[in-house]
Every structure is written in C-alpha cells, then in structure tokens.
Amino acid sequence: MSHDVYKCKVISKKEIAPNIIDVTVESKEIASCAKAGQFLHVKCGDDISMPLRRPISICDADGDKLRFIFEVKGRGTKNLLLIDDEIDIMGPLGTPFTIDNDKYKNPAVIGGGIGTYPLYKLTKELNNPTVYLGFRSKAQVTLEDEFNSVCDMTVVATDDGSYGYNGYAIDLLKGKIQNDVVDIIYACGPKPMLKAVKELAEANNIPCQVSLEERMGCGIGACLTCSCETKTEGTWKYKRVCKNGPVFWSTEVVL
Ligand SMILES: Cc1cc2nc3c(=O)[nH]c(=O)nc-3n(C[C@H](O)[C@H](O)[C@H](O)COP(=O)(O)OP(=O)(O)OC[C@H]3O[C@@H](n4cnc5c(N)ncnc54)[C@H](O)[C@@H]3O)c2cc1C
Ligand code: FES
C-alpha cells in the first residue's frame, strides 16, 4: 500500500457503455506494484470545493500502464470526465484479493455492474476461473470479450434478459456449485449480490472473498468514514474498508 501521489498522463479515455468511462494512464510507480483488488484514490479536479478524492478500483496494470473504469455518477466523477491530460492519483491502496493457485484449482469469480471491473486483473492471475458477470441490461454489458480471452468461460447475465442469461449471475453460480467443484469464490458488486454470494458460499463451505464498497474520505485509514462491521475469532469489531479491505473473507463481514 502506498500513500504516494502521482501525476499520471492520460493515454486513452473512451466511453465503453453509457456513462462508463475506460481510462488508461501512464504510471510505472503504481502499475508496477498494483495488486488485483486494490484501488486508486483519484483527485477529481483542482476545485477547492472538491477536496475529497474518489476511490476507483484498479482494473488492470501492465508495465507502466494503469487502467481503471468508472461510472459517471455525481460531482466528482463528472469532473473526472473532463480531465484529459494528467490525473492526480494516490495508490495503490487497500488489501488485495488473496491468490493461491496451488491451493485453489477451481476458482469462480462473480461480479455485478461496476463491481466487474476490479475482477479483470484478478481473472488474469487466477487458475482459469469460471466468471459470471451480471448487468442490468445489454447496454451495460462491458469487457465480456476481454474476460473471455483470459479464462475458460465467461457467462453474462442481465436482470431484464436483454442479453445472455435472463436473471441474476448468482443463479448461474448456484448451478455451477451443484454440478461441479468450486473451491474458492471471489465477488465484487452491489451489497445484495455480495450478501447472497456470502450465504451461498458459507452454506456450501466454500472460502469466499468479497470486495466491499463504502463511502470514503481519506482512503488511508485515518478518518474512519469507511468503517464496516466485522467478526474475528468470535469478536465483533469495526474495520476500515480502505485499509483492512476493500477485500475481506466473507466470514469476517456482516452484510
Ligand atoms: C474501494 C472502492 C472501489 C470502487 N471502484 C469503483 C470502480 O472501479 N468504478 C466505479 O465506477 N466506481 C467505483 N467505486 C465507487 C465510486 O467511488 C463512486 O461512484 C464515486 O466516489 C462517486 O463519486 P461522485 O462524486 O461522482 O458522486 P457523489 O455521489 O457526488 O459523491 C459524493 C461523496 O460520496 C462518496 N461516494 C459516493 N458514492 C460512493 C460509493 N459508492 N463508494 C464510495 N464512496 C462513494 C464520494 O467519495 C464523495 O465523497 C468504488 C468505491 C470504492 C469504495
Ligand atoms: S476512508 Fe478514511 S479511514 Fe477509510
């Protein structure tokens, strides 16, 4: 984890779905040590009324290239959309996914919406996982071909059935667990999806890592804005999503 801040040159920026922006910047410092599941704390302009950075996951890191994908939502990301030359980035931050390809030979990866983006780097590094990606509808489906090119099987589900499987990605994962061996699950997405994945994993005694999203202030463990309830060795306590997470074992967290 690095609290260092870098001015990163924008190499490419394109809209890959409505309001979904795919950005690659140059940053050897961050890209060379970035791990799957970590995030960047991104400055969204020099405006004095915009002091807080915004957390955005690392989608990929290769050589000196660092990629992240964000949805344009509120003031911060609207500002970020306007920056074309250099982006001020702190990172990489947070606790990454645990990858142990000797121990886990049959991983499954499940993501929903913008939660699919941090799973791309993870998928590249795992032992041929099966990947389930859920989106609201066809217009939001992104990176399917890229996921497909780095793993055995990528299955897309849409809530409205306009593309791929008609329903939730977790239904596909349930079917996989019933018929096949899955020895670890990695998940990132909306809270209801994470809650369902946690329950499914724990009911089947499958280790599971979930990546959480909380509102953040400092991003480095100092302000407690991002606290979440956790349980370690039978004791409940609050942990910081920015520092102890965003990735946790599902058995640790209360969803
Ligand atoms: C670890 C982590 C990784 C993330 N990765 C991605 C990603 O890869 N792609 C992506 O599109 N989005 C991602 N998000 C969500 C993203 O941070 C929010 O969408 C963004 O902060 C919204 O800022 P805004 O100013 O546009 O919206 P506003 O709603 O105007 O934000 C106002 C305030 O709320 C905070 N905030 C609002 N929504 C969230 C949220 N969901 N999570 C955390 N803080 C929030 C902002 O930091 C800001 O302080 C991630 C969030 C976290 C915590
Ligand atoms: S955002 Fe400040 S402690 Fe996590």
Side-chain angles (χ1 to χ4, degrees):
M1 177 147 78
S2 163
H3 299 175
D4 292 336
V5 169
Y6 302 95
K7 301 265 185 211
C8 307
K9 189 176 159 215
V10 177
I11 300 171
S12 75
K13 194 172 112 185
K14 51 183 182 288
E15 188 173 25
I16 54 171
N19 285 325
I20 302 288
I21 315 299
D22 185 343
V23 182
T24 300
V25 296
E26 199 175 279
S27 175
K28 193 170 180 195
E29 294 85 353
I30 301 178
S32 61
C33 59
K35 297 199 172 73
Q38 288 187 302
F39 70 94
L40 308 166
H41 221 19
V42 179
K43 196 166 180 205
C44 298
D46 292 322
D47 187 343
I48 195 146
S49 66
M50 179 72 57
L52 288 181
R53 293 170 178 270
R54 301 300 192 249
I56 299 180
S57 304
I58 293 166
C59 173
D60 200 10
D62 193 2
D64 62 355
K65 294 189 180 55
L66 183 66
R67 181 181 182 195
F68 59 91
I69 301 179
F70 69 95
E71 180 176 18
V72 181
K73 263 183 139 174
R75 224 152 54 84
T77 46
K78 274 181 190 146
N79 267 14
L80 183 58
L81 181 64
L82 303 176
I83 306 177
D84 287 322
D85 47 359
E86 233 176 31
I87 305 180
D88 183 314
I89 299 178
M90 180 194 286
L93 297 174
T95 302
F97 288 109
T98 300
I99 297 176
D100 187 339
N101 285 333
D102 292 328
K103 186 169 178 188
Y104 303 114
K105 305 281 186 203
N106 301 286
V109 169
I110 178 164
I114 56 168
T116 54
Y117 305 132
L119 301 174
Y120 179 62
K121 182 167 167 56
L122 172 75
T123 297
K124 280 171 78 175
E125 293 170 11
L126 288 175
N127 221 343
N128 246 332
T130 309
V131 176
Y132 301 100
L133 307 176
F135 299 92
R136 281 195 307 276
S137 67
K138 187 177 179 181
Q140 280 88 39
V141 177
T142 40
L143 304 199
E144 182 187 6
D145 292 345
E146 285 188 71
F147 271 99
N148 244 326
S149 69
V150 294
C151 70
D152 255 1
M153 189 170 75
T154 303
V155 191
V156 172
T158 51
D159 300 352
D160 65 2
S162 52
Y163 186 80
Y165 172 76
N166 181 359
Y168 294 131
I170 189 159
D171 299 336
L172 299 164
L173 177 60
K174 266 183 204 156
K176 169 86 175 168
I177 289 172
Q178 273 162 14
N179 299 311
D180 222 334
V181 178
V182 172
D183 52 20
I184 188 164
I185 298 170
Y186 298 94
C188 185
K191 221 169 218 172
M193 190 199 95
L194 294 186
K195 188 171 158 48
V197 174
K198 170 182 160 76
E199 284 166 9
L200 178 68
E202 288 166 20
N204 288 277
N205 290 317
I206 300 172
C208 173
Q209 291 212 301
V210 291
S211 179
L212 303 189
E213 222 187 76
E214 279 298 337
R215 287 181 173 256
M216 287 188 182
C218 69
I220 55 172
C223 73
L224 305 184
T225 304
C226 64
S227 298
C228 73
E229 209 180 339
T230 64
K231 189 182 187 183
T232 316
E233 287 159 13
T235 313
W236 298 99
K237 68 178 195 186
Y238 281 91
K239 286 195 178 173
R240 292 156 296 178
V241 170
C242 66
K243 198 167 180 182
N244 309 111
V247 177
F248 294 91
W249 289 101
S250 69
T251 45
E252 269 183 276
V253 290
V254 183
L255 292 171

